[in-house]
Amino acid sequence: MRDVAVVAFAQSASAQEGDRNEVEVLMPVVTEVRDQVGVTTADLDFVCSGSTDYQAGVPFSFVMTLDAIGPWPPIRESHVDMDGAWALYEAWVKIQMGAADTALVYAYGKSSPGDIRRVLSRQLDPYVTAPLWPDPDALAALQARCLLDADMATEADFASVAARSLAAAEANPHAVVAGARSVEDLLDEAYLASPLRRHDCPPVTDGAAAVILAAGDRARDLCERPAWITGIDHRIDPHQLGMRDLTAAPSVRVAAERAGVADGPVDVAELHTPYSHQELIVRRELGLADGTEVNPSGGALVANAVMAAGLVRIGEVAERISSGRAGRGVAHATSGPCLQQNLVCVLEGDRGR
Amino acid sequence: MTDDTSLRAPLVIEYPFTRTTGPVVGAFLTALREGFVVGTRASDGRVLVPPAEFDPVTNTPLTEVVEVGSEGVITSWTWVTEPVPAPQRPAGEEPPWDPSVDAQPFDRPFAWVLVRLDGADTSLLTVADVEDPAQLHTGLRVRIRWRAEREGSIRDIEAVEPVVSGEDLP
């Protein structure tokens, strides 16, 4: 296996971008990530993006967004209709194959122009689920109820996750909701989809993220302290909700095993858990110790740019390693209803530095 | 920015695919039209409702279609105070969708439920028609209320209702 590292990361997020289109949202982020390591598009061997036409509302929307990186002279690029974390996986495979030494990965999505709850219902089984138009908040609530019924968590546990995330968000300039509140205060709020309340669910977010990957010596040339990807894996559980034990996420567990989460101490974990109760499930499946700092950014409960939020998790962990604040960390990305599909990425700084 | 002279055109996102449902999903939808429910038997003997075309563990094709009951128990539920509405069009414009099927089943507070029908080992997502969340709990025994005119759609199941005289399982 080749040594591949995250050497740069940039992001933007807001509750509503208003007049800025996707290219205009993305362009400053791509410019920032290239400037961090002093490269141009011509210096990058491969470009891979993650977004979805269902959110943009037009077919092949990612082709238009290529304007943000300048695809002339011709570049080698690819796209996944998935969160940018999976675009990063494709770029990592490309580098492993020896077809590239560097790659730009980006992802973006604007949720505010439409109704993201209706949009996300289109990802469900087209015969027995999507015709009912169930929204992600309701489906997540069914999962949360299963945890309560199994005595695996309480509503106060959910609120504790939200309270910690909202407090952490105060230090995150990209958070779209923030502000420390007590668990008791949060529990006084009305249900949105019982047993979940507004703060247990992600905020509507428009945003973008970009990462640069580099292999071996190229990574060391570009970055003083690269965040090496020592393991990465993604797995999926059955799409039929009622077929799964919703209190568990076997795909997280398998991906964590294959990515080697347990092979060393985990200083920091950024988990893509858009619903508060999902953090409890993913923590358990990853086998994180109590000492691990979880979602110091506030996580997806405070900014959840659909299609970019998973890539943001990888960037947040990488940034903490590159800045010397963490030695080894785990990033997690999810897709589909109720943690159906999951990616786990282990990142580590150079040992002894 | 818009003003009175701006040109306007409707943007309607459609994915007008037509699919052939095949022997498993087709059997399920055909049964719904006739007013009963079927699933498939998995490799480990479990009855999956809604049916799966392939075994979730072994990936082998599943072909044995099994009829199950129209009553069952709630395995999870959520009470939604604000249903997600169908998008509104400007006054005077006819929406190009049918709000009776292109939106959530109710436009008033209602419950989503997972229901394990009698004879099934997995749960079906549907809605419960009750007035108040206090009427719901996990384990509640419910019965399918069928739509009068059925067409082979999951929406042939209008809702589930509590079984008044039935046994309430823990």
Side-chain angles (χ1 to χ4, degrees), chain A residues 134-189:
Chain A
D135 55 278
D137 299 344
L139 297 179
L142 293 171
Q143 182 178 39
R145 175 87 57 201
C146 290
L147 283 176
L148 298 181
D149 287 342
D151 286 331
M152 298 170 84
T154 64
E155 291 181 35
D157 293 334
F158 304 164
S160 296
V161 171
R164 200 202 65 239
S165 300
L166 288 166
E170 291 187 329
N172 178 2
H174 305 289
V176 301
V177 292
R181 294 179 62 189
S182 72
V183 169
E184 295 71 24
D185 186 24
L186 294 175
L187 287 173
D188 277 343
E189 286 194 11

Side-chain angles (χ1 to χ4, degrees), chain A residues 19 53-59 115 117-119 121-122 124-139 141-146 149 191-196 238-244 246, chain B residues 1 11 13 15 17 19-21 25 28-29 46 48 50-53 56 75-87 97 101-105 112-114 121-126 138 153-155 157:
Chain A
D19 289 341
D53 287 352
Y54 282 74
Q55 203 174 13
V58 282
D115 190 333
R117 299 169 300 173
R118 277 177 67 85
V119 171
S121 76
R122 300 303 84 197
L124 303 167
D125 177 292
Y127 310 107
V128 303
T129 313
L132 300 170
W133 296 85
D135 55 278
D137 299 344
L139 297 179
L142 293 171
Q143 182 178 39
R145 175 87 57 201
C146 290
D149 287 342
Y191 291 124
L192 183 74
S194 67
L196 299 181
H239 69 270
Q240 296 95 335
L241 284 168
M243 197 181 289
R244 293 164 50 194
L246 293 177
Chain B
M1 296 291 287
L11 172 62
I13 305 168
Y15 295 89
F17 304 120
R19 302 183 185 88
T20 305
T21 52
V25 176
F28 176 74
L29 296 176
R46 289 187 305 157
L48 312 176
E53 294 170 287
T75 57
S76 188
W77 61 277
T78 177
W79 182 257
V80 180
T81 48
E82 295 175 26
V84 177
W97 51 79
V101 292
D102 292 335
Q104 297 191 340
W112 293 100
V113 291
L114 287 170
D121 295 290
T122 63
S123 297
L124 173 80
L125 178 73
T126 185
T138 301
S153 155
I154 190 66
R155 295 187 70 134
I157 297 174

